[in-house]
């Protein structure tokens, strides 16, 4: 049937529009949206007998040329004024100016490339990767990544990743898939389809497997090692035990893995539960001793923990009844500090446990020293720009002293002694002195096998440094956003010989939010809102970094 010239009436205005009875109702709604600005999800098109639905059959409506359809719905909201007043650089104080200039740059969305942008920003939280790229001669996608990261470090403006997305689509044609657009978008040729950020993460990691690794402290380190194998690859040992034949020997297999899956079932509320559910289970296979199918218990544990542990929240599952992937909305809490010894083999756990325990004690002492330094700094008299001491209320130091004295009895005895030695900042040595001493103590506890394994976690203790989230209800749609811990970009453990960057504030737990080219500060206390439970941004890929010794 040929398209019909019809009219729509909205907000007192009449518009001419084409209606093709052979196309679904969504095409007509899209055309109405282009004219009125009313989003299809808020639009009501009145037809004889009711409201036009997305699956309405036009043959039952029997539209006629010249017919007028009433459209009800509010057009998209006008842009809102900024929540905070705009500040120009010349009006900022030194602290605000430094923060504004140090803000990392975003990436321009080139049409459904948010999955790639979020992945690239999260992977940038691995400073050793940039060192490896800069110290080698990569090609293909690895070269495009090195050039992109280099450009991002040289500018304060958003970067358009045209060269990288072209290299990505050339290396992996799946990311060049075209969308099956309808309506006006279809007539214009559509565009690139939305893709899966986790698939992008895996393919990008695979493409980096030929990047040379970083040298170890000793000259005898493996010169042929690759970066991904060193810093991002774990080793999984899987044990199969037949439940129906106790005398049948266990079968043991090992494989290298780039990520750990977190299954999300109705019983999973926490990430650790989902990881163990993915590692352990029951399977059926042919039993050589019974000569038939039998049930086996499968138990998997990591025999090697990498410096960077990737956790994949399995939020998308194939639904046979609807014939496509659907998102699992369930809320699953994830930790900002993760003890991976529970998913390690007994042998690896025994090697890491001494240094792991000591590191926890050391970090408590470091936190206490930071508190003492902060209290001492607050008690010092303020100075103006010329360095002159400013007059303050004489009662302030007394109140501070009283507050400190009241709090002292509540401290544990071990910490109270440390506090007593450092009532004044002058009694505390430079932090570097403590770190050097602690580093030697911790290094003495390292197992020789772990110490010789470049890129492996030496403690089994991790901190969360990057997250890729998915927003929306559908697997093939929605929006991806990247989150990176500020301290992961401002500093972090670099490879031997790498230049040290800015020293991060250890008390700063806030994050950067990378929504394509829009970059903002994301408070640490809001991280739990990314746990899922609805259509808003839900954690999908999490990157954990092994805690350094110093």
């Amino acid at each position: 049937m040929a398209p019909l010239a019809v009219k729509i009436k909205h907000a007192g205005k009449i518009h001419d529009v084409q209606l093709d009875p052979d196309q679904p109702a969504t095409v007509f709604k899209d055309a109405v949206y282009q004219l009125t600005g009313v989003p299809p999800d808020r639009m009501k098109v009145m037809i004889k007998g009711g409201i036009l639905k997305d699956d309405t059959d036009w043959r039952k409506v029997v539209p006629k040329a010249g017919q007028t359809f009433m459209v009800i719905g509010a057009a998209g909201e006008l842009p809102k004024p900024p929540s905070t007043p705009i500040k120009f650089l010349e009006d900022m104080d030194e602290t605000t100016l430094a923060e504004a200039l140090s803000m990392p740059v975003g990436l321009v969305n080139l049409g459904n490339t948010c999955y790639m942008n979020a992945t690239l920003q999260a992977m940038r939280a691995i400073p050793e990767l940039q060192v490896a790229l800069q110290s080698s001669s990569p090609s293909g996608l690895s070269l495009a990544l090195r050039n992109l990261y280099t450009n991002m470090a040289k500018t304060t403006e958003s970067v358009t990743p045209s060269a990288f997305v072209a290299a990505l689509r050339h290396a992996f044609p799946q990311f060049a898939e075209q969308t099956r657009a309808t309506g006006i978008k279809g007539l214009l040729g559509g565009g690139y389809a939305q893709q899966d950020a986790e698939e992008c993460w895996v393919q990008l990691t695979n493409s980096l497997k030929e990047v040379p690794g970083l040298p170890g402290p000793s000259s005898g380190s493996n010169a042929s090692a690759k970066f991904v194998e060193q810093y991002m690859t774990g080793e999984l040992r899987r044990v199969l035990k037949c439940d129906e034949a106790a005398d049948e020997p266990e079968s043991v297999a090992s494989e290298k893995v780039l990520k750990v899956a977190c299954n999300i079932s109705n019983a999973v509320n926490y990430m650790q539960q989902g990881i163990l559910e993915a590692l352990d289970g029951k399977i059926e296979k042919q039993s050589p001793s019974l000569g038939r199918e039998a049930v086996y218990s499968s138990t998997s544990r990591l025999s090697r923990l990498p410096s960077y542990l990737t956790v994949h929240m399995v939020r998308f599952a194939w639904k046979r009844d609807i014939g496509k992937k659907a998102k699992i909305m369930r809320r699953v809490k994830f930790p900002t500090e993760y003890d991976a010894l529970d998913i390690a083999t007994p042998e690896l756990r025994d090697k890491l446990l001494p240094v792991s325990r000591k590191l926890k004690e050391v970090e408590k002492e470091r936190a206490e020293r930071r508190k003492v330094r902060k209290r001492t700094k607050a008690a010092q008299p303020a100075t103006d720009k010329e360095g002159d001491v400013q007059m303050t209320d004489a009662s302030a130091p007394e109140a501070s002293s009283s507050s400190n004295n009241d709090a002292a009895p509540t401290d544990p005895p071990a910490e109270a002694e440390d506090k007593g030695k450092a009532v004044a900042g002058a009694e505390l040595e430079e932090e570097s002195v403590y770190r050097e001493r602690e580093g030697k103590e911790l290094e003495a506890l390292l197992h020789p096998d772990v110490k010789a394994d470049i890129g492996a976690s030496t403690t089994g203790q991790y901190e969360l440094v990057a997250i890729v989230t998915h927003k929306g209800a559908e697997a093939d749609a929605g929006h991806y956003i990247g989150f990176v811990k500020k301290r992961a970009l401002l500093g972090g453990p670099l490879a031997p010989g790498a230049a040290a960057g800015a020293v991060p504030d250890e008390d700063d737990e806030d994050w950067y939010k990378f929504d394509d080219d829009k970059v903002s500060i994301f408070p640490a206390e809001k991280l739990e809102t990314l746990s899922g439970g609805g259509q808003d941004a839900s954690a999908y890929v999490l990157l954990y970094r092994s805690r350094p010794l110093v």
Side-chain angles (χ1 to χ4, degrees):
M1 186 182 296
L4 304 173
V6 298
K7 300 179 183 296
I8 59 169
K9 186 175 182 180
H10 174 258
K13 297 181 180 179
I14 297 179
H15 306 272
D16 294 321
V17 65
Q18 292 288 316
L19 189 159
D20 189 346
D22 294 329
Q23 296 289 336
T26 53
V27 176
F28 181 68
K29 285 186 175 182
D30 191 48
V32 174
Y33 167 63
Q34 301 297 327
L35 293 171
T36 63
V38 179
D41 59 340
R42 296 208 304 261
M43 179 190 302
K44 291 184 179 180
V45 180
M46 309 306 296
I47 59 175
K48 185 177 181 180
I51 300 173
L52 181 68
K53 298 181 178 179
D54 291 348
D55 58 354
T56 298
D57 189 345
W58 283 115
R59 290 174 296 181
K60 296 181 179 179
V61 178
V62 194
K64 298 179 181 179
Q67 183 175 347
T68 300
F69 293 90
M70 179 69 72
V71 177
I72 302 175
E77 296 181 3
L78 293 174
K80 295 181 179 179
S83 55
T84 57
I86 296 175
K87 272 192 174 183
F88 296 97
L89 292 178
E90 55 268 26
D91 297 329
M92 295 182 181
D93 57 32
E94 293 182 3
T95 302
T96 308
L97 180 62
E99 183 175 344
L101 294 178
S102 67
M103 187 80 76
V105 300
L107 295 170
V108 176
N109 192 321
L110 299 175
N112 281 338
T113 58
C114 58
Y115 70 92
M116 180 193 75
N117 291 347
T119 299
L120 291 170
Q121 295 286 13
M123 201 167 282
R124 200 178 175 208
I126 308 177
E128 296 91 342
L129 172 59
Q130 298 182 56
V131 173
L133 289 171
Q134 292 294 340
S135 57
S136 63
S137 301
S139 60
L141 193 57
S142 299
L143 176 60
L145 182 63
R146 184 184 74 175
N147 294 340
L148 176 63
Y149 282 160
T150 300
N151 292 337
M152 292 173 69
K154 291 181 178 179
T155 182
T156 57
E157 300 292 332
S158 297
V159 175
T160 303
S162 304
F164 182 84
V165 72
L168 177 69
R169 288 167 179 164
H170 180 265
F172 303 104
Q174 70 188 80
F175 298 117
E177 178 188 358
Q178 295 284 317
T179 182
R180 299 178 180 85
T182 57
I184 293 179
K185 294 181 179 179
L187 294 176
L188 295 175
Y192 288 102
Q194 178 66 286
Q195 299 292 337
D196 191 313
E198 187 271 335
E199 292 178 6
C200 181
W201 180 282
V202 171
Q203 297 289 34
L204 183 53
T205 306
N206 284 329
S207 71
L208 295 170
K209 283 186 175 180
E210 294 306 313
V211 174
L214 299 178
S218 63
S219 57
S221 57
N222 187 2
S224 62
K226 305 298 183 182
F227 175 81
V228 170
E229 183 180 356
Q230 286 180 328
Y231 286 86
M232 301 179 71
T233 302
E235 292 181 4
L236 193 70
R237 189 176 71 182
R238 183 187 187 196
V239 179
L240 285 178
K241 177 65 177 175
C242 184
D243 294 354
E244 303 176 42
D247 297 334
E248 183 176 311
E250 296 178 342
S251 64
V252 181
S254 296
E255 64 173 319
K256 294 184 177 182
V257 294
L258 295 174
K259 63 179 181 178
V260 173
C262 173
N263 287 349
I264 301 178
S265 65
N266 292 332
V268 172
N269 295 312
Y270 299 92
M271 186 185 82
Q272 181 70 355
Q273 290 178 306
I275 290 177
L276 292 175
E277 187 174 291
L279 293 176
D280 301 336
K282 301 285 186 180
I283 65 169
E284 288 188 9
K285 76 179 196 74
Q286 187 72 19
S287 169
S289 62
L290 299 177
R292 61 174 175 80
E293 291 283 319
V295 177
Y296 285 76
S297 292
S298 173
T299 304
S300 299
R301 291 294 183 269
L302 287 163
S303 57
R304 181 186 192 267
L305 288 167
S307 287
Y308 290 88
L309 181 67
T310 302
V311 178
H312 170 211
M313 294 285 195
V314 187
R315 287 205 170 272
F316 299 121
W318 181 262
K319 296 292 185 180
R320 189 173 301 174
D321 53 340
I322 61 176
K324 63 178 183 179
K325 288 194 297 183
K327 184 176 180 180
I328 302 172
M329 301 287 192
R330 186 175 181 82
R331 179 181 177 86
V332 178
K333 295 183 178 180
F334 53 86
T336 56
E337 297 180 358
Y338 180 53
D339 186 343
L341 295 186
D342 289 337
I343 62 172
T345 59
E347 296 81 5
L348 180 60
R349 190 184 307 121
D350 290 342
K351 294 177 181 179
L352 299 179
L353 198 54
V355 68
S356 177
R357 286 174 174 169
K358 181 62 177 177
L359 180 62
K360 290 180 180 179
E361 296 175 4
V362 166
E363 288 186 334
K364 288 181 180 178
E365 294 172 1
R366 292 172 181 173
E368 188 57 44
R369 289 200 300 269
R370 288 197 298 272
K371 290 180 182 178
V372 173
R373 294 182 195 278
K374 189 174 290 187
R375 285 199 299 266
T376 304
K377 184 178 180 180
Q380 291 176 347
T383 58
D384 59 18
K385 293 182 180 180
E386 285 73 30
D388 296 327
V389 176
Q390 299 296 300
M391 299 300 292
T392 57
D393 186 357
S395 62
E398 295 180 11
S400 175
S401 175
S402 174
S403 175
N404 289 341
N405 291 335
D406 292 342
T410 64
D411 294 324
E415 295 179 358
E417 183 179 353
D418 184 57
K419 274 189 176 183
K421 294 178 181 178
V423 174
E427 297 184 26
L428 273 179
E429 298 180 273
E430 290 291 331
E431 183 62 22
S432 59
V433 176
Y434 292 102
R435 293 300 175 105
E436 183 179 0
R437 185 186 310 149
E438 293 163 351
K440 291 178 179 179
E441 294 176 0
L442 290 166
E443 192 167 348
L445 297 173
L446 287 178
H447 192 281
D449 295 344
V450 176
K451 189 174 182 180
D453 189 355
I454 307 302
S457 172
T458 56
T459 63
Q461 302 299 318
Y462 289 86
E463 65 172 327
L464 184 64
V465 293
I467 309 171
V468 176
T469 65
H470 177 267
K471 183 178 182 179
E474 298 181 16
D476 300 325
H479 183 57
Y480 290 97
I481 302 173
F483 296 82
V484 178
K485 196 170 188 177
K486 289 176 67 177
R487 287 198 280 116
L489 289 185
L490 296 177
L494 290 179
V503 178
D505 180 2
E506 292 191 57
D507 289 325
D508 189 354
E509 296 293 327
D510 287 341
W511 289 58
Y512 290 120
K513 177 181 178 181
F514 295 96
D515 189 353
D516 289 327
D517 58 338
K518 296 184 287 292
V519 182
S520 57
I521 301 296
F522 190 78
E525 55 269 22
K526 288 189 176 182
L527 276 181
E528 63 180 36
T529 64
L530 306 180
S531 299
Q535 294 189 26
D536 211 347
S538 306
Y540 186 37
V541 177
L542 300 103
L543 181 66
Y544 285 89
R545 179 178 68 191
S546 180
R547 287 190 173 276
L549 299 183
V550 293

